[in-house]
Amino acid sequence: MAKFNFDEKVDRRGTFSYKWDSLSDPELLPLWVADMDFKVAPPIYEAVNRCAAHGVFGYATENDDYYNAIISFNKRHYGVDLERDWIMPVPGIVPALTAVLQALTQPGDEVILQSPAYNCFFSCIRNSGLVASENRLLYRDGKFSIDFDDLEKRASSEKARVLLVCNPHNPSGRLWHSDELKRLSEISRAHNLIVISDEIHCDIRPNGSIFHAFSTVNEGYNDHLITLGAPSKTFNIAGLKSAHVICRNKDYQYRIDRQININEICDVNLFGVAATIAAYTECDDWLLELNDYIQENYQILKAFFTENYPDIRVAPLESTYLAWVDCSSLELSGEEIKNKLIDEGKLYINDGEMYHSPQDSFIRINLACTKDTLKEALKRFKKVFCQN
């Protein structure tokens, strides 16, 4: 029997919500930006309220409980052994990625990444004076895989410096297999690439599936690995600004820490510290039910397209709560589909172009919402693209 009510409708309008309050039309239904419409787990709510009840919100610092929470969660869920000295707290993955890139590269260096890719990856690379080298994912029979031959060519470039891996992958939903990650590691080692592994989505996946942290696939190369992690996606606390960089290499640590301070992203959020401790120590049962609920929404989405649009293909959702949908049968670009849904259906989703999708006509749909919200969104989709 379910312990948590993910069907509860929470009105987020008027709460400073980027997802809900930044849209000009109040009738728009947002299934775009990657945060969830669910209330946080009770232990997080209670931890934040204890902080609020104290009434003094001064500068914060991390304590032993904070570091031990990150260490214990990674050990418990993924068998990863971390040391406190490897963990550098930051307010978010995106500013952390920028700091890491600026610390370990020179302007003009190339950063290899698998596209389609999270849109902020491209801005982090561009704003750091670097060049994005797109290793486009192969798309065959409705499934995505890495083009290792193309990756080898890109890695051999004299300007290639970093391999940026989204593990698991946003937006395709791929949960990379250990042999795929080992091949990435081998290529990186052969060409002396630094690996940055963004693992922010790793906890969101079907229960029983296995996530392989990059640090577990080739321990001999971990001295050239930087991992980016956060409880924000998993536990819906992005607004509390809590993330962390994990780095074993002492020289890299020094350079990254210096850049974090230069970029002034070294301060942590008081509420974020409390929420991180609660999330990583008391919320495993909530996470199990969340993953089941997201998979139920995925099945609703798949059934809808199978019944009404059999030529539209939904990529297998091996991870994340973001469905990646091939709408090429509509013979419109992803941006055209998005705009048509906004104008005619009052439905806001993301288009594939913003992620540099090599394939035409993809859209991204956020499934971290109530079933009623999802069904209303699909009803609006059907209204716009009615079938004869």
Side-chain angles (χ1 to χ4, degrees), residues 264-324:
E264 300 291 357
I265 57 167
C266 48
D267 288 335
V268 293
N269 183 296
L270 176 74
F271 294 97
V273 172
T276 297
I277 295 168
Y280 281 155
T281 59
E282 301 180 72
C283 298
D284 286 5
D285 53 350
W286 184 90
L287 179 56
L288 285 169
E289 288 194 24
L290 169 73
N291 279 330
D292 282 342
Y293 195 90
I294 289 167
Q295 285 300 310
E296 289 167 7
N297 276 354
Y298 170 63
Q299 294 302 326
I300 290 171
L301 184 81
K302 267 186 42 173
F304 169 81
F305 283 115
T306 299
E307 179 181 347
N308 297 284
Y309 307 88
D311 293 328
I312 289 179
R313 308 180 78 168
V314 183
L317 191 70
E318 300 174 349
S319 61
T320 83
Y321 50 72
L322 305 162
W324 191 235

Side-chain angles (χ1 to χ4, degrees), residues 241-272:
K241 300 299 180 185
S242 177
H244 47 271
V245 176
I246 298 171
C247 178
R248 296 158 174 77
N249 184 307
K250 292 291 186 183
D251 176 56
Y252 289 177
Q253 282 178 21
Y254 172 79
R255 291 158 66 182
I256 293 169
D257 181 70
R258 183 170 179 271
Q259 194 65 46
I260 284 172
N261 281 271
I262 290 171
N263 291 12
E264 300 291 357
I265 57 167
C266 48
D267 288 335
V268 293
N269 183 296
L270 176 74
F271 294 97

Side-chain angles (χ1 to χ4, degrees), residues 197-223:
S197 184
D198 175 5
E199 302 186 354
I200 193 171
H201 293 279
C202 68
D203 309 315
I204 308 295
R205 63 187 196 283
N207 289 317
S209 64
I210 298 174
F211 164 72
H212 298 280
F214 206 104
S215 62
T216 65
V217 299
N218 185 352
E219 294 187 7
Y221 203 63
N222 281 349
D223 211 36

Side-chain angles (χ1 to χ4, degrees), residues 67-83:
Y67 289 101
N68 290 338
I70 296 171
I71 291 168
S72 66
F73 187 86
N74 278 272
K75 179 64 175 179
R76 188 166 69 251
H77 286 268
Y78 306 120
V80 174
D81 291 307
L82 300 178
E83 295 182 12

